[in-house]
Amino acid sequence: MDLGLSGKTVLVTGATRGIGREVARAYATEGARVALTYHTDRSAAEAIADELGAARDQAFAVPYSLDDPAAAAQATAAVVQRWGALDILVANAVRRPPRRDAGVRFEDVDDEQWLPVVHDNLGGTIRLTRLAVAEMRCRTWGRIVLLSSHNALGGGSGQEFLGAAKAALHGFARSLAWDVGKDGILVNVVCPGLTTTADVLSRLPAPVRERETAGTPTGRLSAPEDVARTVLFLGSAANGNTTGETVTVSGGR
């Protein structure tokens, strides 16, 4: 299948590891030019950009933070100034809530701990999407893929605030599709299940992973590459008319 990505420009946020890194690789493999954002690990982002063709101007790294309006504008402008257009946005960056100490209940979490989780994951993603839409609407073509979380659908202990922010993206995309659809812009959400990123493998005990695997129809957890392939299709020209949808990549859970 021709995904129609050769020469397209893609901005992937949170691209230094895990799902974001595999998404960037997937687009580059299909001939797209990829801008990869990083929050703190510049060297990792530049190493991936080198791998994806920085020397041929096929990739570059750009700083970005969900809580910084200036960073969103700068990242968008960097892509347009360098390549003349922003065709595809993959909003993968996430602000995770701090770990709760044992015995700390939902109602005991201070405002300064939970408000930034909701504000940055929801507000920061909307802010960047607005900037991307403004660029795409000028050219009457664009694809937007927002990364959600299994906590938005299945819930999780201590994940109320992240779950709230990520679930809100589903409603956001559903309505945004009505605003931008006639201008050739499609917007969708990909909701990964528990995925075998390096972070999950390091912090989630093996018995827990085995239990989760046993409850999955396919008999395995998703790899980052599984999620990346779904993101790749939805954010490509091969996706001709799928918009406002939430696609779950969870092995059938």
Side-chain angles (χ1 to χ4, degrees), residues 40-174:
T40 57
D41 199 344
R42 177 177 177 176
S43 61
E46 290 180 341
I48 298 164
D50 288 342
E51 171 195 330
L52 302 185
R56 295 176 285 106
D57 198 30
Q58 289 295 109
F60 75 105
V62 59
Y64 171 70
S65 179
L66 276 168
D67 64 352
D68 184 357
Q74 289 163 3
T76 305
V79 177
V80 175
Q81 289 169 7
R82 186 163 187 150
W83 290 327
L86 173 57
D87 299 309
I88 300 155
L89 169 66
V90 179
N92 171 69
V94 60
R95 176 167 184 163
R96 299 196 181 280
R99 290 188 181 276
R100 256 188 234 174
D101 293 333
V104 176
R105 300 171 299 179
F106 162 77
E107 65 268 29
D108 298 327
V109 179
D110 294 333
D111 284 357
E112 57 265 29
Q113 289 185 294
W114 73 264
L115 276 171
V117 176
V118 174
H119 179 271
D120 294 350
N121 284 298
L122 178 57
T125 300
I126 291 175
R127 179 188 301 118
L128 183 59
T129 302
R130 283 165 55 88
L131 293 165
V133 163
E135 292 296 332
M136 295 171 184
R137 215 191 287 264
C138 294
R139 299 171 182 86
T140 63
W141 195 94
R143 299 290 183 268
I144 298 169
V145 184
L146 311 176
L147 270 293
S148 182
S149 165
H150 59 96
N151 293 307
L153 299 178
S157 178
Q159 300 298 314
E160 301 92 342
F161 309 115
L162 180 62
K166 290 298 190 178
L169 293 179
H170 301 193
F172 169 61
R174 192 72 177 169

Side-chain angles (χ1 to χ4, degrees), residues 175-236:
S175 290
L176 180 60
W178 285 92
D179 187 278
V180 301
K182 290 183 174 62
D183 292 306
I185 304 169
L186 306 181
V187 53
N188 292 284
V189 176
V190 170
C191 188
L194 187 63
T195 304
T196 56
T197 62
D199 183 54
V200 166
L201 293 175
S202 66
R203 68 178 173 79
L204 204 63
V208 176
R209 299 199 306 269
E210 291 167 3
R211 184 186 68 220
E212 293 295 320
T213 300
T216 302
T218 59
R220 69 176 182 89
L221 301 179
S222 295
E225 295 86 349
D226 295 317
V227 182
R229 293 184 193 104
T230 300
V231 173
L232 179 69
F233 169 75
L234 290 172
S236 75

